[in-house]
Amino acid sequence: MCPALQTTDAFLTEGPRRKRRGSFVSGEGKVKFAMSGWNQVTTVEEMEADTQRLRDTACQVCAETYEDRKRNQTPQCRFGEDGICCRICSMGPCRVTPKAPRGICGADAHAIAGRNYLRMVAAGTASHSDHAREILHVLHMSSRDGNYPVRDEQKLIRLAEEYGIETEGRDIYDIAHEVAETALMEFGKPFGTQRFAERAIPERREVWAREGIMPRAIDREIATAMHMTHMGNTADAEALVRQGLRCGLSNGWGGSMLGTEVTDILFGTPTVRRTEGNLGVLEKDMVNIAVHGHDPVFSEMVVFAAEQKDLGDRARAAGAKGINIVGLCCTANEIAMRHGVRMAGNFLQQENAVLTGALEMMCVDVQCIFPALAQLTECFHTKFITSSPIARIPGSTYIEFKPETALEQARELVIMAIDNYKNRDESKLFIPEHKQTAVVGYPTEQIIKELDKVTNSHVDERGSFRPAIDAIRAGVLRGAVAIVGCNNPKIRPDYSHFEIMRELLRNDILIVATGCAAQLATKAGLLNMEAKDLCGAGLKRVCELIGIPPILHMGACVDISRMMLLANGIARDWGVDISQIPVVGVAPEWMSEKAVSIANYVVSTGIDVYLGIEPQVKGSAQMMELITEGTRRITGAGFIINTDPHDLVREIIDGIEAKREALAAVGVL
Ligand code: BF8
Ligand code: SF4
């Protein structure tokens, strides 16, 4: 065991210290700001009070928000809720009831719920993977002096070597283009399985091969899912669930992993950065531009344009102090991790950002964008810009973003926002004060670097997860939990994330977070080094020893692939299967089809997934059994569902302790 973890007292005072500084983008490049220091968490009640105040503005301007629309939608359709409405052919729609247990074709509740579920996996897989494909095309046209140069050459070379591509003596851009072409073949190759599946430990690959769920080409798995669910095909729920696992794997160990790799290659692998989060990052005296969505090809360029001096001068000439770029949803995670750009909030905060009356522009790319932003921005001076043919929204200004003209277009957008500053209506302006400092940027590579700090005297352990394993074996850490996913108005927004995070920290369970869950951690202040004070003694000691916050921000939802490699690395270095390690996933407030696809690849990787929102299959007892227990028979992991966050977190802790006991029983704890 790492001796540092046994003799902690010395390390309590000797742990690494970092300077407390951050930066945000303005018209003069990165502006440094002194971190105000961490006092206490921002509570969900405080966040709700801000939202309530912004709803007053909504009333004032006669705008509706998701809460109004939710009221109009209540009660929601029970058949849809239970997954037993079928409309996949025009003989339907067919709804299953006790009196009418089969659709016109004879499909029963299990077939209908199973088909609907698999279609969600297919749509989620398509979304993540197509996002990755777009970025691969940008890598394919990358050039030294173009809009998109390669920023992480080492990662490119590593991937080229993994692919068996010659690197010796070749121009880096020739390599980049060949890597992109090879990776693009992962989507449609007629034969073989996903190359990245080879990264998994042998135990996992054996499970995937044995169960017939080794993922083939990404497009093939999506097409197979759609074909199986066409009228007149599969009515067997288990076969549908199995294809859900396979299709999910083509996302997690295919599309999403490609998305993460290529984003790192093009824009740099994230490292630790300071930033801030919550609506208080909007600036009263600056031109505020929110970038929202997922594809960093767009947001990176807007950030770059806003840093150019002439645009800063233009903003000042317009009476502002500069340009303030902020992020929403996963775009926020991407640019915070690479540039320290501040995060305005998560999924259900997107309308709030407009309601501040302080946004000169909201630019969006793809995924998780409310079409409602078009009507809402009309009540303010805010320009609403859509940029992708994948997300066309009536009422927006559509400027199709093209890599060849990206910088020019990004500059035009920033200029449009600056010129809009004069139209701001002070009577509608209210920026909530709450914001928190945060430390972000922990991809797997960074986590290994942090761990290496405590293995200086154990050279053989450098580059491994041994220190983390030692801490878990010693019981200093009980385990680790990946908290991921969205907000969902079905439950109190952000409350489940907050309650679950607090309780896990108290119980010495390290958290890694992505997506909108990571944003809640940011808003609450849980990504500060000082949040260690909320932890049990063991986790607090680990945080101090290594110099990390107790929640590690790993990125956007597409970066859940990083978490798979983290779990894979821990299991490899431990010498056990992934399903044995005390590591689980939790999506307390999930809502999207992407989340369903993610849950499927996480379970296929052998990691239990705890859900705070019920999947829409309740109308089929067979489907409920299959996703909770059936997948466990196939992959060694399943879903655990509980809509009460306090009960759910208890189940998570019990699950982690059960895994520890099982490891002890076979003598490896
Ligand atoms: O992909 S967590 S609401 S923003 S789907 Fe969307 Fe959900 Fe947020 Fe990122 Ni992920
Ligand atoms: Fe109805 Fe069968 Fe058509 Fe579905 S596929 S709508 S159950 S007839």
Side-chain angles (χ1 to χ4, degrees):
M1 180 187 301
C2 166
L5 289 167
Q6 291 172 318
T7 54
T8 55
D9 284 352
F11 287 87
L12 288 179
T13 50
E14 290 170 17
R17 292 275 177 270
R18 294 196 177 89
K19 282 185 192 146
R20 301 182 53 76
R21 289 193 189 288
S23 65
F24 63 87
V25 176
S26 84
E28 286 188 331
K30 296 245 168 50
V31 171
K32 300 281 184 213
F33 62 88
M35 308 287 275
S36 50
W38 186 78
N39 298 319
Q40 56 184 27
V41 294
T42 301
T43 63
V44 172
E45 287 73 17
E46 287 171 316
M47 295 175 206
E48 287 170 341
D50 288 342
T51 297
Q52 197 44 54
R53 170 62 186 79
L54 291 166
R55 293 234 165 87
D56 295 344
T57 307
C59 285
Q60 179 195 332
V61 301
C62 298
E64 62 170 29
T65 68
Y66 77 85
E67 289 230 315
D68 304 310
R69 294 187 295 275
K70 186 190 158 197
R71 256 191 307 277
N72 293 341
Q73 287 293 336
T74 308
Q76 288 177 296
C77 170
R78 193 183 59 76
F79 296 99
E81 188 76 58
D82 291 351
I84 48 173
C85 171
C86 184
R87 43 167 296 280
I88 64 175
C89 89
S90 74
M91 291 190 282
C94 299
R95 303 179 307 178
V96 171
T97 67
K99 277 193 188 156
R102 288 179 184 271
I104 292 168
C105 68
D108 62 12
H110 315 305
I112 292 173
R115 293 190 307 211
N116 290 338
Y117 172 84
L118 180 53
R119 284 189 168 211
M120 289 187 88
V121 181
T125 301
S127 301
H128 271 153
S129 302
D130 207 38
H131 159 173
R133 176 164 24 205
E134 288 290 331
I135 305 174
L136 277 166
H137 279 291
V138 176
L139 181 66
H140 194 249
M141 58 172 288
S142 61
S143 63
R144 197 163 275 109
D145 45 9
N147 283 329
Y148 295 99
V150 166
R151 294 251 156 68
D152 191 338
E153 294 188 1
Q154 281 181 355
K155 197 158 197 168
L156 173 66
I157 302 275
R158 277 202 302 278
L159 184 55
E161 285 168 354
E162 185 177 341
Y163 280 175
I165 290 170
E166 184 57 57
T167 57
E168 263 323 295
R170 291 184 74 190
D171 183 88
I172 198 78
Y173 286 92
D174 289 341
I175 299 170
H177 301 157
E178 193 174 341
V179 163
E181 231 171 282
T182 308
L184 282 164
M185 292 304 289
E186 291 300 281
F187 288 81
K189 60 185 180 187
F191 306 106
T193 52
Q194 284 299 298
R195 287 169 180 266
F196 284 160
E198 296 299 315
R199 292 178 168 188
I201 55 172
E203 292 87 338
R204 270 298 105 186
R205 292 204 306 273
E206 269 166 40
V207 169
W208 298 342
R210 183 191 73 213
E211 299 296 335
I213 56 171
M214 187 69 86
R216 299 163 295 180
I218 301 158
D219 291 349
R220 172 95 194 257
E221 298 306 354
I222 297 165
T224 297
M226 295 307 287
H227 190 180
M228 284 175 78
T229 58
H230 186 275
M231 191 273 151
N233 284 328
T234 297
D236 176 65
E238 181 171 337
L240 295 164
V241 166
R242 280 180 179 273
Q243 180 57 22
L245 297 172
R246 193 176 204 179
C247 188
L249 277 172
S250 77
N251 179 6
W253 292 81
S256 276
M257 205 170 274
L258 280 168
T260 296
E261 290 275 333
V262 73
T263 302
D264 286 354
I265 288 168
L266 271 177
F267 304 116
T269 301
T271 51
V272 174
R273 284 177 196 281
R274 270 91 191 110
T275 184
E276 291 184 318
N278 210 349
L279 289 172
V281 302
L282 292 169
E283 298 287 340
K284 187 170 175 299
D285 302 321
M286 295 180 86
V287 174
N288 292 305
I289 302 175
V291 280
H292 172 18
H294 289 76
D295 183 349
V297 170
F298 177 60
S299 49
E300 282 274 337
M301 202 50 79
V302 177
V303 170
F304 182 62
E307 287 178 334
Q308 298 194 321
K309 174 145 186 349
D310 64 318
L311 296 190
D313 292 343
R314 190 179 180 118
R316 276 181 289 280
K321 287 189 178 155
I323 304 162
N324 181 35
I325 304 282
V326 300
L328 281 161
C329 282
C330 280
T331 282
N333 294 317
E334 297 273 9
I335 53 179
M337 292 215 302
R338 294 195 177 81
H339 304 283
V341 170
R342 298 183 298 168
M343 302 187 264
N346 46 3
F347 180 59
L348 286 182
Q349 191 118 297
Q350 57 186 294
E351 289 181 315
N352 285 358
V354 177
L355 286 167
T356 61
L359 271 190
E360 273 56 58
M361 180 175 282
M362 168 86 86
C363 305
V364 303
D365 49 82
V366 294
Q367 301 169 12
C368 303
I369 298 146
F370 273 11
L373 292 178
Q375 286 74 47
L376 185 60
T377 48
E378 270 173 22
C379 302
F380 295 86
H381 73 302
T382 310
K383 300 255 183 223
F384 179 42
I385 310 294
T386 46
S387 64
S388 167
I390 299 292
R392 299 291 307 265
I393 298 176
S396 65
T397 302
Y398 180 58
I399 298 174
E400 187 171 329
F401 201 68
K402 299 216 161 81
E404 311 85 284
T405 49
L407 181 57
E408 228 169 281
Q409 289 181 296
R411 282 179 55 87
E412 274 168 28
L413 290 176
V414 174
I415 289 169
M416 201 190 291
I418 294 168
D419 294 350
N420 193 26
Y421 181 69
K422 62 177 181 302
N423 297 322
R424 200 187 272 186
D425 180 346
E426 294 289 324
S427 74
K428 297 177 186 170
L429 191 70
F430 171 73
I431 302 175
E433 279 180 8
H434 284 119
K435 62 178 175 179
Q436 283 277 4
T437 52
V439 182
V440 300
Y442 290 95
T444 336
E445 294 89 337
Q446 187 65 36
I447 292 174
I448 287 191
K449 264 190 219 159
E450 303 286 345
L451 293 174
D452 277 350
K453 288 184 208 158
V454 292
T455 49
N456 284 339
S457 55
H458 303 264
V459 177
D460 55 321
E461 289 187 352
R462 289 182 70 82
S464 84
F465 294 100
R466 292 296 328 172
I469 296 167
D470 288 346
I472 294 173
R473 293 180 71 174
V476 179
L477 280 184
R478 306 306 294 174
V481 170
I483 305 194
V484 304
C486 327
N487 301 127
N488 189 323
K490 282 201 163 115
I491 55 173
R492 194 175 161 192
D494 286 333
Y495 179 71
S496 295
H497 286 141
F498 188 84
E499 291 296 296
I500 290 170
M501 286 177 184
R502 288 286 301 262
E503 192 58 20
L504 292 176
L505 297 184
R506 269 188 213 121
N507 282 275
D508 292 325
I509 293 169
L510 180 78
I511 296 173
V512 291
T514 56
C516 289
Q519 298 256 2
L520 172 275
T522 311
K523 290 193 293 182
L526 300 175
L527 299 186
N528 281 288
M529 297 292 180
E530 291 82 352
K532 65 180 174 12
D533 292 337
L534 304 170
C535 303
L539 177 55
K540 183 175 179 181
R541 192 189 310 163
V542 169
C543 292
E544 286 170 332
L545 170 66
I546 304 178
I548 51 169
I551 300 182
L552 301 179
H553 183 295
M554 289 191 84
C557 290
V558 81
D559 295 326
I560 294 171
S561 59
R562 298 190 201 274
M563 294 172 167
M564 296 306 96
L565 292 176
L566 178 65
N568 192 62
I570 291 173
R572 181 196 58 220
D573 292 347
W574 200 326
V576 296
D577 181 36
I578 300 171
S579 63
Q580 292 177 276
I581 58 176
V583 170
V584 304
V586 49
E589 306 185 21
W590 71 275
M591 63 86 202
S592 74
E593 290 165 319
K594 285 181 291 174
V596 184
S597 174
I598 292 166
N600 270 273
Y601 74 67
V602 175
V603 158
S604 300
T605 304
I607 300 169
D608 282 332
V609 174
Y610 292 75
L611 300 174
I613 302 282
E614 292 168 317
Q616 291 164 335
V617 298
K618 267 187 310 176
S620 159
Q622 194 183 341
M623 275 302 293
M624 284 301 281
E625 195 281 335
L626 276 166
I627 62 170
T628 52
E629 292 307 320
T631 57
R632 196 172 297 285
R633 292 190 290 275
I634 300 168
T635 71
F639 297 146
I640 297 98
I641 305 159
N642 200 316
T643 53
D644 180 309
H646 302 111
D647 291 345
L648 188 64
V649 74
R650 186 38 53 203
E651 291 190 82
I652 294 169
I653 294 166
D654 290 348
I656 282 183
E657 292 301 327
K659 283 194 184 282
R660 293 183 62 88
E661 278 167 32
L663 284 168
V666 292
V668 288
L669 186 70

